[in-house]
Every structure is written in C-alpha cells, then in structure tokens.
Amino acid sequence: MQSFLQVVFLVGALSALSEAFSPLAPPLPRSAAVVLRAPALRSGLRSLRADYEPNTDTEAALKFKVRPGPIRGTLRTTQGKLRKQLLETHPPTLDKNSSTHSVALQDPFSHKPYLSNWHCLGFAQRFDWTKPTELNIGDIPLVVWKNGTDVLVAPNVCKHLGSTLHEGAIDEEGCLVCPYHGLKHGREHAIGKTMMHQGKLYWTPDTTLHATPPSIPNINAKGFVHSFLEFDMDASLEDCAMNTMDVNHPGWVHHGTIGFGNRGGPTDVIHRELSDRSVSLQFKYNANRVVSATKGKGRSTKNFHFYELPCFTWSVVTFGQDRLLYIGADFLPLSRHKTRWFVTVVHNYYTNPIQKKAVEMAARLILSQDQQQMGRQSKYDDMRKLVSSKHHLPFEEAVDWIRNKIGHYYLYPVAADLAPYMGEH
C-alpha cells in the first residue's frame, strides 16, 4: 500500500512539475507601463491580475507601479514577491504627482558584459571546503576555496608557471598552495566577490555590482520544503533559455502516461515585459486526464512564470485552493554546447520525507526528458543559422523574445572576458 501511495504522490507531483518547467513569456512593447494589483488572499493564491497602460514619457525602461492595498491570508502574491525583488535590486523613485509608488527599472546590468552578472557556481551544501574545487564558466577555468570564513574564486592557473591549482592544498593561513612549486595564492589572487544566497554559491568578478542574486519566492516560508537538483544539458545556454520559454514542446517532449501531455497548449495567456531583461507570464493549463485524475482538484492549474536574462528563471503553479509549486533554475555554461542547470524545487504539499522524495523523483523525470531533447539540439551552429527559425508555431513570441534579447546580455565567455577584472593579476 505504501508503494502504491508513493506512485500516486509521484504522478500527482509530476503533473504540476511538468507545467512548472514549461513557461511562455512573450513581451509587450517597451513603452508600456505595467500595473500589478495585489489582490487579497483568503484561501490561497488567487488568480494573478494585471493590466497595462501606455507610458510614452519613459524612454529608458518600464515603470513598475504597484497600487497599495491590504494583503491578507497566509501567502503573499507572486506579484508582491516580484515587486519586493525588484525593489531590492533597482533603486526606487517616488512619483510625487501620483498616488502609486513608481519604480523606474533602471537596469543595473544594461550594457554590461555577461560576466558582470551573478553566476551560480553550485549548491553550498555540496562543496567540500576541506579542499579546493575546480569549475569553469565557459572557457574560463576557475578554482574555489575557503579562506577562513570567506569563499574565494581565482583563475585555476598558477601565477608562476601555469600549473592548475585545484589539486593543491589549503594551508593553515587559508592560502591555496600550488602543487608544482608550493607557491601560495591568497586573497590577493582572488577575483571579484561571492555570496551565499538561498542555498547556492554565487560569484561575480564585478566588485561594483550592488544588486543581490536573483531570488525564488517562499523558499524559506513556513509550510514549504525544498529540494536541490543538478542537471547537465548537452545544449547551449541560448537553447536552454528558449526551452524554458517554449510552451509547445511539453505536448511532445513530456507527453506520455505520466506526463501531462496536453497538446492543446495553455489558455488565458497574459504576458508582460517588466524590463529590458525580464518578462512574466500567467496562463491556465489543463493536464491530460490520466495525470489530472490524481489531483482531485480538477484538470486546470494556474501558472505564473518569470524569466530574467541572461540565465535565471522561476515559475509557480497553483492547483486547488492552496497548493503551490515553485521551480527556480540558474544556468551555467560549461562549454558552447553544455549547460548546467541548478534547479530548486519548492512546494507546500507532499511535505513529509517520503512525499518530498516523490516530488524530487518527478522533477528528475521531467528534467531527464528535457535532457534528452537538449541532447538532440544540433551542434552545427553555422547550419542552424541557415536553416532554423524559418518556421513558427503558435505562442512563440517568447522564444523570439529570448532569441532577440539574449545576445545583448550573453556571449559565450572566454578567458579574455576576465581580463578587465584582473588588475595586477
């Protein structure tokens, strides 16, 4: 009986997880102003409500206006979480002639190279701080080690004769000792700064970056549990970004007995361009009859998705009155055609250890299906430029948005990109 219940938990979780991994977010014109209203919450997350109005006075970026009002219930709205994140990362300005609070989205990352962003290097609990760790961002080899309480990141190349450093030792002073000649590498060899955020280690070489890493709502909220998953996809970061915003692939890639498999696509789609580098989307989705039968709440779910260029996304699925599932992912390029996904799964249902494991298993199944498709993506870039993007399916505005925008915030990183941050190194 227990095994049967685990299967039921797995299939039920799979339905919501499948939808969470399948966002769509086509943009509105940049001249739009987005007005998000935070509705009162009584028994859970209500339908997200938003509208937009022309704002021709703002040329640089959108104005994000949130009308004040009471927020009741046990959960905050997704808009409230998003507004809080935007307020933390974008300096607010008050419009004295308006009763609404206005946040001009002066993008702190605009016109900056890809490396100037925060980069997720891994889940904090999976680092062994007794020794250095090697990793890379594209063609930039890095080594990570702990110097007392500080986490340091440096090029994985000795400043003497070029040995790699990740097989060296960390001495009592917290210096990384090269295994070739014993040369010590301390704080003066490190580049940029690191931050532990929501269970992940982030690094940026840009010490002038004041924004915090992107956040996933409710990860530490009462009644929620979370899991960390890591997958390597045999595809470029661009392909991974477009996959997360593609609403058409789930009916084929995730179709099957335990997939949600609705080839009809979403309904009631509303999308917003929140800034030049971020978009949001809300829609309803109907799972197939086999999977949705396990919910006991009807087939339709409500969905909200958020994508921030170049490499962060989160989504929330609500089904029934108060069951919420968040999926967040940071993308890290390992090579031109390999990208690591650091995935966080957050939910307030199936929270005991057995149920939580079932949700994690469902997430792994969904990700393995994406992994299979990412492996099918052609690696012949020149041929893809000649052939691809000649045909379009419905609801592909978001894919086009990614394709057109991502080049402004992401170019495959190479060693020369690190040079401006190295100083005397």
Side-chain angles (χ1 to χ4, degrees):
M1 183 63 179
Q2 187 180 57
S3 298
F4 171 77
L5 289 177
Q6 290 183 37
V7 173
V8 172
F9 292 146
L10 172 61
V11 177
L14 176 62
S15 174
L17 279 164
S18 301
E19 295 151 21
F21 276 106
S22 307
L24 168 70
L28 289 175
R30 289 188 64 185
S31 60
V34 183
V35 179
L36 298 180
R37 300 190 182 105
L41 289 172
R42 290 182 175 84
S43 57
L45 185 65
R46 294 282 181 87
S47 298
L48 302 174
R49 294 181 291 142
D51 57 15
Y52 66 95
E53 57 192 24
N55 178 19
T56 56
D57 295 331
T58 303
E59 296 181 357
L62 297 174
K63 282 188 176 181
F64 185 77
K65 299 181 179 180
V66 181
R67 297 179 179 175
I71 300 179
R72 298 186 297 273
T74 59
L75 302 171
R76 291 185 178 183
T77 62
T78 300
Q79 296 100 324
K81 288 286 186 180
L82 180 57
R83 177 180 183 272
K84 182 176 182 294
Q85 181 176 335
L86 289 170
L87 283 169
E88 290 174 348
T89 57
H90 300 79
T93 58
L94 289 180
D95 185 352
K96 296 181 180 179
N97 298 320
S98 173
S99 61
T100 62
H101 296 285
S102 176
V103 180
L105 298 186
Q106 302 298 331
D107 191 344
F109 299 93
S110 292
H111 311 296
K112 287 189 176 183
Y114 165 69
L115 281 187
S116 289
N117 295 279
W118 284 108
H119 304 279
C120 179
L121 303 183
F123 297 114
Q125 65 186 19
R126 298 182 183 176
F127 283 88
D128 181 357
W129 296 118
T130 65
K131 60 183 181 179
T133 300
E134 70 167 327
L135 51 84
N136 65 286
I137 300 179
D139 288 345
I140 302 175
L142 299 172
V143 61
V144 182
W145 79 99
K146 204 165 189 178
N147 181 318
T149 59
D150 297 328
V151 177
L152 304 180
V153 177
N156 191 15
V157 179
C158 180
K159 55 188 178 182
H160 178 216
L161 290 182
S163 172
T164 56
L165 299 171
H166 64 276
E167 294 185 56
I170 302 173
D171 68 12
E172 63 278 359
E173 297 175 351
C175 293
L176 179 54
V177 181
C178 177
Y180 197 3
H181 296 96
L183 195 66
K184 293 185 177 183
H185 296 73
R187 296 178 185 274
E188 74 283 355
H189 187 66
I191 295 177
K193 58 184 179 180
T194 60
M195 180 182 295
M196 296 292 185
H197 181 66
Q198 294 193 332
K200 291 173 283 189
L201 172 64
Y202 287 86
W203 170 76
T204 177
D206 187 356
T207 57
T208 67
L209 180 61
H210 298 300
T212 58
S215 298
I216 302 168
N218 277 332
I219 186 171
N220 295 315
K222 183 179 180 180
F224 286 81
V225 296
H226 61 268
S227 303
F228 296 132
L229 305 175
E230 183 177 312
F231 267 73
D232 288 350
M233 304 293 184
D234 290 326
S236 67
L237 189 145
E238 295 94 332
D239 276 344
C240 293
M242 288 188 287
N243 178 76
T244 64
M245 305 304 282
D246 172 26
V247 76
N248 291 305
H249 83 270
W252 299 89
V253 174
H254 304 299
H255 181 71
T257 303
I258 59 173
F260 65 108
N262 176 11
R263 292 182 177 174
T267 61
D268 300 338
V269 178
I270 302 174
H271 51 268
R272 301 285 183 263
E273 183 177 34
L274 299 178
S275 75
D276 193 54
R277 67 194 296 260
S278 61
V279 290
S280 69
L281 164 78
Q282 66 183 79
F283 62 92
K284 293 181 179 179
Y285 201 91
N286 291 326
N288 68 31
R289 296 183 183 277
V290 175
V291 173
S292 62
T294 66
K295 294 180 183 178
K297 299 286 186 179
R299 297 179 64 194
S300 181
T301 63
K302 299 172 186 177
N303 305 262
F304 179 88
H305 295 277
F306 174 78
Y307 195 95
E308 182 177 303
L309 292 171
C311 51
F312 175 73
T313 182
W314 66 263
S315 61
V316 60
V317 178
T318 176
F319 55 100
Q321 292 297 318
D322 56 5
R323 292 186 174 189
L324 297 172
L325 172 70
Y326 294 89
I327 301 291
D330 290 271
F331 300 146
L332 184 73
L334 302 181
S335 67
R336 292 188 183 275
H337 297 110
K338 185 181 287 291
T339 304
R340 182 161 293 164
W341 291 21
F342 297 106
V343 179
T344 305
V345 182
V346 183
H347 50 99
N348 67 344
Y349 65 97
Y350 298 168
T351 57
N352 73 43
I354 294 177
Q355 296 168 335
K356 181 172 177 275
K357 194 66 176 179
V359 174
E360 182 180 326
M361 290 170 59
R364 289 188 182 278
L365 177 58
I366 296 298
L367 285 165
S368 67
Q369 293 169 343
D370 281 310
Q371 187 179 46
Q372 184 178 27
Q373 177 54 44
M374 290 296 94
R376 297 186 185 115
Q377 294 299 104
S378 173
K379 310 305 186 284
Y380 294 96
D381 294 336
D382 290 340
M383 183 57 68
R384 287 184 58 170
K385 291 176 182 177
L386 292 174
V387 176
S388 297
S389 306
K390 305 299 183 184
H391 183 78
H392 292 266
L393 298 175
F395 304 119
E396 284 199 340
E397 295 88 347
V399 175
D400 291 336
W401 189 91
I402 291 287
R403 183 184 292 112
N404 293 333
K405 292 276 190 178
I406 197 168
H408 297 290
Y409 301 97
Y410 175 76
L411 289 175
Y412 180 74
V414 295
D417 297 336
L418 196 61
Y421 309 99
M422 294 183 66
E424 299 297 325
H425 291 284

